[in-house]
Amino acid sequence: MKMAMKFGVVALALVGMIGCAGGGGASDEEMIQGIVDQAMAALKAQDIEAMTSAYADDFTSDQGGGKAEMVEFLNGAKEQGFLDGIQVDTTNLVITVDGDKATAKPIDLEGAFGALTVEFELQKRDGEWLVTYQSQY
């Protein structure tokens, strides 16, 4: 059960972190939505590198550890089958931007680990949105 919950947090964090925000006149909200969408697609595809590509180097989570620990955890979850058939629901996603900080929540996940909701905190650094923190509830 603990592994399942930890996986959910990691999965969501990875999902939230994937993707790079680009220019092209997109609003901050559109860039963040793109990160979430790309991360969720990567999560479903079990592409851990892509899921964590938008994680900041100083990323942390409420489960402890940083980016390297999250990647290790997600790779373990993948090997154990916890990512198989994962369902992602962002129907109720709300993106709130306040200057160079933002939140994206809720991201609902369901899979072999059970069900959980993830929230991402992001920061805009050098014009790029990065996931800096992930929590689950």
Side-chain angles (χ1 to χ4, degrees):
M1 180 73 143
K2 188 174 183 179
M3 173 68 168
M5 289 182 72
K6 200 170 190 183
F7 166 75
V9 171
V10 172
L12 285 177
L14 292 178
V15 169
M17 306 311 157
I18 197 167
C20 296
S27 70
D28 288 329
E29 290 82 358
E30 291 169 331
M31 289 188 282
I32 293 167
Q33 180 71 56
I35 289 170
V36 172
D37 291 347
Q38 290 175 25
M40 293 302 111
L43 178 62
K44 287 182 172 185
Q46 300 185 30
D47 184 343
I48 306 306
E49 182 178 332
M51 288 189 325
T52 58
S53 67
Y55 278 31
D57 289 339
D58 60 348
F59 166 86
T60 60
S61 78
D62 65 353
Q63 299 295 302
K67 182 176 179 177
E69 289 79 11
M70 182 63 78
V71 168
E72 181 180 344
F73 176 78
L74 288 171
N75 278 316
K78 176 181 174 179
E79 291 171 9
Q80 295 176 30
F82 281 105
L83 296 180
D84 295 346
I86 191 168
Q87 297 295 309
V88 177
D89 182 2
T90 58
T91 305
N92 298 313
L93 183 70
V94 174
I95 297 168
T96 305
V97 177
D98 184 12
D100 64 349
K101 295 185 179 186
T103 59
K105 63 181 180 180
I107 302 168
D108 297 314
L109 302 179
E110 189 171 335
F113 53 85
L116 61 94
T117 300
V118 175
E119 173 180 337
F120 295 113
E121 292 181 14
L122 301 96
Q123 287 185 6
K124 194 171 192 179
R125 299 178 179 171
D126 297 325
E128 180 179 1
W129 284 101
L130 298 171
V131 178
T132 56
Y133 183 76
Q134 173 190 303
S135 61
Q136 79 176 37
Y137 49 96

